[in-house]
Amino acid sequence: MPELPEVETVRRGLNRLVKGATIASIDVYWPKIINNDLDSFKTRLAGQTIEKIDRRGKYLLFRFTGGLTMVSHLRMEGKYNVVPANTSRTKHTHVVFHLTDDRDLWYNDTRKFGRMTLVPTGEESTVGGLNKIGPEPVANQLTVAYMTAIFAKSKKMIKPLLLDQSKIAGIGNIYADEVLWMSKIHPMRPANLLTADEIATLHQNIIDEIAMAIKGHGTTVHSFSTAFGEAGQFQNQLHVYGREGEPCERCGTLIEKIKVAQRGTHFCPHEQRL
């Protein structure tokens, strides 16, 4: 699933490609992707202009004129790309936004898990998942004091706590493994047993890692691509994720992969002791 850096990369690309574009009409080939009444969704957006695309956690927020916002969740395989008008769609192209400038904005999704919801701007929190999302992993929103408080209340293992979007927005499986390795914290450590120094280190590593991943245009492990159809670059800078059986960069111990809360989890058994 695309994580925050990948969704942010898509957001930046879409702002460069379609900010200011006007919707002429919409074709929907897989109606389940649209959470609204289909005819209402198409009618309300026709003639509206994309003012900008924002992001909250892993959600894209298309801001339209007319006081409308389309909340888009890419889920596992969702992608947007822009093509010339009348380009023959692929079998995985499920929503086509026809623009008035002779271009089409395609939404492609091989698994059809992605969803779009149109709401009045300002009511995004009514969309499931956005109503209880945690702070963004940036310095002016995610603080050490906040992390200390939520960790103290939880005996949950630290990795699934990091994956809980109601606690911290946008961290997924890849970056959870990476920041725990960087912080020398075992993924199964109970959150309430982390020391003040460990929390401070983890806090800084979360902020630094997410920022670096955004700078690297996200991570492509299976199929992620930017709005320009390009792969991300940050997979070349991963220290532990996907590297089971390879030597740890710090100590040379072979990286192991285990299941933690039903998620494949990579760690160094020497540097990250339970």
Side-chain angles (χ1 to χ4, degrees), residues 42-229:
K42 294 192 287 187
T43 300
R44 292 165 71 193
L45 284 181
Q48 303 296 344
T49 297
I50 301 172
E51 295 183 321
K52 61 179 178 176
I53 297 97
D54 291 330
R55 179 194 53 75
R56 182 71 172 96
K58 301 177 186 179
Y59 295 81
L60 291 169
L61 307 175
F62 287 74
R63 308 295 192 183
F64 287 94
T65 52
L68 295 171
T69 291
M70 185 183 78
V71 179
S72 173
H73 198 322
L74 303 176
R75 299 288 178 87
M76 296 290 290
E77 300 280 352
K79 300 179 181 67
Y80 284 99
N81 63 297
V82 178
V83 300
N86 302 314
T87 300
S88 297
R89 70 182 182 92
T90 72
K91 66 178 181 179
H92 298 305
T93 304
H94 304 306
V95 182
V96 177
F97 299 87
H98 301 287
L99 308 179
T100 58
D101 57 7
D102 295 323
R103 297 183 301 159
D104 290 339
L105 173 63
W106 283 1
Y107 176 74
N108 304 300
D109 195 334
T110 56
R111 299 197 184 189
K112 303 176 182 175
F113 289 164
R115 294 294 181 266
M116 301 175 190
T117 307
L118 188 63
V119 296
T121 298
E123 297 185 14
E124 300 81 34
S125 62
T126 62
V127 178
L130 278 176
N131 56 348
K132 55 181 181 179
I133 195 168
E136 296 281 317
V138 292
N140 64 348
Q141 296 189 42
L142 181 66
T143 66
V144 173
Y146 169 81
M147 287 178 57
T148 300
I150 63 169
F151 288 5
K153 297 176 183 177
S154 179
K155 297 180 181 179
K156 183 184 289 188
M157 294 181 292
I158 185 60
K159 178 170 179 179
L161 186 63
L162 292 178
L163 297 178
D164 185 344
Q165 300 300 294
S166 71
K167 299 297 189 293
I168 303 173
I171 299 177
N173 204 43
I174 295 172
Y175 300 111
D177 283 2
E178 290 293 302
V179 298
L180 289 172
W181 177 84
M182 293 165 68
S183 307
K184 299 184 179 181
I185 298 171
H186 194 285
M188 295 176 68
R189 280 274 301 281
N192 65 336
L193 296 185
L194 266 62
T195 67
D197 286 345
E198 287 174 324
I199 294 172
T201 298
L202 179 59
H203 168 265
Q204 192 60 54
N205 283 331
I206 288 172
I207 291 171
D208 290 346
E209 180 75 356
I210 295 297
M212 288 189 294
I214 291 171
K215 186 176 180 180
H217 301 147
T219 298
T220 295
V221 174
H222 297 296
S223 62
F224 166 73
S225 63
T226 71
F228 296 94

